[in-house]
Amino acid sequence: MGDFLSFTGRHVFVAGGSSGINLGIAQAFARAGAQVTVMSRSPDKVQQAADGLKALGAEALGISADVRDPAAVEAALRQAHAQFGDIDVLISGAAGNFIAPAAELSPNGFRTVVDIDLNGTFHVLRLAYPMLKKPGASIINISAPQGVNPTMYQVHACAAKAGIDMMTRVLAMEWGEAGVRVNAIAPGPIADTEGMRRLAPSPEALRRATETVPLQRMGTLDDVANAALFLASAQAGYITGVVLPVDGGAALPGGRDMRSSYTPREAA
Ligand code: NAP
Ligand code: COA
């Protein structure tokens, strides 16, 4: 298996990497030997995240920048590039979300989420492109089930994540000849995250979010991080343009649950 899941000496840049799922991914790469840069808005959060990565034995850098500000993103990428060199793995996962009925969502509310998730992902990928290791770099966008499942009160996130899914496919085509792979992960409901605190804020909402998951549990930070390690590894070297659900089967097509209508033939 060679260096399966070893990233010793590789530079991993995680946009939105200071908490939750993206920090879990940053930590997994740190444990796998990478030099890791995390970028997000809060200077305190990025510093704390970088300190945590160093405590895992990694070389790490925390940089404050808003993905909506291309100049700030470019400056952050340049700083990381000066410190750790070409980027081997680029994770784009900055996002904002809240529950809001479309009829009550202000233009700025819609724009804000699209700006962070979709436009922010374009800025991160486009501005990182000259600094990517070519050939060999792997990009992983963090999408969501909303990218394919129409979800009420989520018109902003659905539009943004669907755009990210399509951007993943288009850039996989454009950047393939440079030896750059572009994939996405669409996590299902992941326990102990800000996303779930916002979208399932009560025990009842949490129960409903889990009951339709075929594997009958919420996901963990490690579930997502392990998928990211695989997608970034040489073993996934022929995989590009994929949006990979990591969701216990939750994205499988729905339809009516026939179990309560079923009578075994011998009892009929
Ligand atoms: P989270 O902890 O709030 O992570 C969001 C990260 O993005 C934070 O590090 C945040 O740090 C950063 N961020 C937000 N706005 C930013 C901006 N404008 N510029 C730069 N960085 C920004 O939430 P999470 O639940 O772990 O979600 C992480 C990713 O997973 C998101 O892409 C989300 O859509 C996706 N996801 C989550 C779930 C789930 O179950 N939680 C399910 C499916 C998909 P700052 O506040 O410092 O900026
Ligand atoms: N319902 C409806 N509209 C909302 C809202 C809510 N719960 N929260 C914010 N908005 C609207 C605001 O009213 C504002 O629109 P307005 O100017 O017309 O009033 C617009 O969204 C921007 O809000 P603001 O607070 O200025 O944005 P921000 O850039 O400071 O923060 C958010 C961005 C709103 C997405 C904020 O929740 C955030 O920073 N989230 C990051 C963490 C996160 O969401 N994690 C989960 C990821 S899945």
Side-chain angles (χ1 to χ4, degrees):
M1 294 291 276
D3 66 347
F4 188 59
L5 303 192
S6 166
F7 288 85
T8 304
R10 304 290 173 86
H11 181 191
V12 178
F13 186 103
V14 188
S18 65
S19 60
I21 287 173
N22 306 321
L23 177 57
I25 291 171
Q27 290 167 338
F29 279 105
R31 287 192 197 94
Q35 299 165 312
V36 184
T37 304
V38 288
M39 186 200 91
S40 83
R41 290 168 302 177
S42 158
D44 289 347
K45 278 177 71 176
V46 289
Q47 189 54 53
Q48 225 180 330
D51 289 346
L53 296 170
K54 286 177 191 161
L56 294 173
E59 287 183 72
L61 185 60
I63 307 175
S64 162
D66 191 319
V67 291
R68 291 168 286 189
D69 178 349
V73 172
E74 186 164 31
L77 287 159
R78 282 189 193 286
Q79 187 185 339
H81 188 254
Q83 179 122 357
F84 297 134
D86 284 356
I87 297 168
D88 296 283
V89 181
L90 177 67
I91 312 286
S92 177
N97 200 3
F98 46 78
I99 299 181
E104 290 167 27
L105 182 61
S106 72
N108 192 38
F110 184 84
R111 185 180 61 76
T112 296
V113 171
V114 171
D115 255 1
I116 300 171
D117 294 25
L118 179 58
N119 298 344
T121 293
F122 180 74
H123 298 324
V124 169
L125 269 56
R126 168 68 189 89
L127 295 168
Y129 187 75
M131 299 175 226
L132 296 178
K133 176 89 183 301
K134 299 186 206 68
S138 169
I139 297 173
I140 301 171
N141 295 323
I142 306 303
S143 185
Q146 288 93 322
V148 287
N149 294 339
T151 310
M152 290 198 291
Y153 296 5
Q154 285 283 276
V155 68
H156 42 323
C158 285
K161 294 295 192 181
I164 289 174
D165 290 358
M166 193 51 91
M167 195 187 301
T168 300
R169 299 182 187 105
V170 172
L171 297 187
M173 294 177 72
E174 289 197 23
W175 295 352
E177 66 183 352
V180 174
R181 296 185 296 113
V182 188
N183 293 295
I185 290 173
I190 305 301
D192 302 321
T193 58
E194 183 60 23
M196 285 310 288
R197 277 187 282 279
R198 288 173 180 233
L199 299 187
S202 66
E204 172 58 13
L206 269 179
R207 190 188 61 73
R208 270 188 276 112
T210 320
E211 72 186 357
T212 52
V213 177
L215 290 182
Q216 296 288 303
R217 67 169 175 87
M218 297 187 77
T220 64
L221 298 180
D222 280 349
D223 286 328
V224 182
N226 288 334
L229 288 173
F230 169 67
L231 278 180
S233 74
Q235 281 72 11
Y238 204 49
I239 300 176
T240 195
V242 159
V243 180
L244 178 68
V246 179
D247 65 352
L252 295 171
R256 279 179 57 207
D257 182 343
M258 298 296 181
R259 283 176 295 183
S260 61
S261 306
Y262 171 67
T263 309
R265 285 185 80 182
E266 55 276 14

